[in-house]
Amino acid sequence: MAVKKILSIPDPILREKSILVKKVDKDIKNLMDDMIETMYNAPGIGLAAIQIGIPKRVIVMDISKDKDKKNPMFFINPKIIWKSKVLSTYEEGCLSIPNQFAEVQRPDKCHFKYLDYNGKEKEIKAEGLLSTCIQHEIDHLDGILFIDYLSKLKKDIIIKKVSKNKKELERVVV
Ligand code: GNR
Ligand code: NI
């Protein structure tokens, strides 16, 4: 297992569309292990493979409140099969958009299917944070970021701030 570097905006790789996983083999399990370690290290509650530069439809998540009781979840080829017409608002953040938060409206509930860590087909009826988070993560697989739901003004301000912070950090590190 290894902690990987998380890409941040405006990296164009974050806009790529991720491809379906054909077989849940050793390589995919290794990727999921690296992703969960990277996510816990960040720390964050979810991570899509594209955030570490791998354009495959793989997501890891842990939304447990109690930090001592880990509950890692793995979703391969997730697909939303139903979403509620009722929307809810949640203040979202993203590891690829560091230190920026904004309210985003999404369908309150959703049902989705996926393959689990062992490649077995599963289905979940999600609400609350799980529903918000899986929609945020599936968006990543399609090259969509939460800032895309904001006004152009808010979006531009966030992109500017993150780019500036990134350049300042690079100056220190390099
Ligand atoms: O750590 C994260 N927190 C979060 C908070 C509200 C809505 C979505 C998220 S996901 C985010 C981690 C991340 O960037 N996943 O792609
Ligand atoms: Ni994100």
Side-chain angles (χ1 to χ4, degrees):
M1 295 227 285
V3 172
K4 302 288 186 181
K5 191 179 158 226
I6 297 175
L7 305 179
S8 62
I9 56 166
D11 195 318
I13 293 172
L14 290 167
R15 295 306 190 172
E16 285 183 15
K17 192 169 158 65
S18 297
I19 61 164
L20 286 166
V21 171
K22 279 197 190 140
K23 195 166 181 282
V24 183
D25 57 14
K26 200 84 211 294
D27 284 352
I28 293 295
K29 288 191 163 88
N30 189 48
L31 169 65
M32 291 191 286
D33 294 344
D34 285 350
M35 285 172 65
I36 201 84
E37 191 180 354
T38 303
M39 185 196 79
Y40 283 132
N41 178 69
I45 59 170
L47 191 75
I50 194 66
Q51 292 179 277
I52 58 166
I54 310 291
K56 294 183 199 263
R57 301 188 82 81
V58 178
I59 287 165
V60 299
M61 210 184 282
D62 189 337
I63 54 167
S64 59
K65 291 219 179 82
D66 191 342
K67 277 183 185 163
D68 297 331
K69 290 200 188 85
K70 282 190 181 176
N71 182 28
M73 295 185 284
F74 303 89
F75 304 115
I76 302 160
N77 299 343
K79 189 175 181 343
I80 290 176
I81 50 179
W82 177 83
K83 48 192 173 187
S84 61
K85 291 191 183 82
V86 177
L87 307 178
S88 74
T89 306
Y90 200 89
E91 180 160 77
E92 299 197 14
C94 181
L95 293 171
S96 297
I97 311 173
N99 307 315
Q100 307 301 316
F101 303 88
E103 288 196 341
V104 177
Q105 268 198 350
R106 297 183 187 273
D108 179 40
K109 295 174 183 170
C110 68
H111 299 174
F112 65 98
K113 58 176 190 176
Y114 63 96
L115 301 177
D116 72 5
Y117 192 88
N118 297 307
K120 200 168 166 245
E121 260 197 67
K122 295 271 176 71
E123 203 174 302
I124 287 183
K125 295 176 168 57
E127 53 181 77
L129 185 55
L130 178 60
S131 174
T132 298
C133 201
I134 195 71
Q135 291 178 60
H136 173 115
E137 302 306 342
I138 291 174
D139 270 355
H140 274 300
L141 305 183
D142 295 319
I144 300 164
L145 301 168
F146 83 78
I147 52 172
D148 299 343
Y149 300 106
L150 309 179
S151 68
K152 182 171 183 334
L153 181 63
K154 281 188 187 169
K155 180 176 175 174
D156 286 348
I157 290 170
I158 290 179
I159 294 169
K160 235 179 164 174
K161 278 187 189 166
V162 174
S163 305
K164 184 169 176 273
N165 288 342
K166 207 175 165 179
K167 276 182 191 150
E168 277 168 8
L169 276 171
E170 278 164 5
R171 209 175 302 148
V172 178
V173 175
V174 179

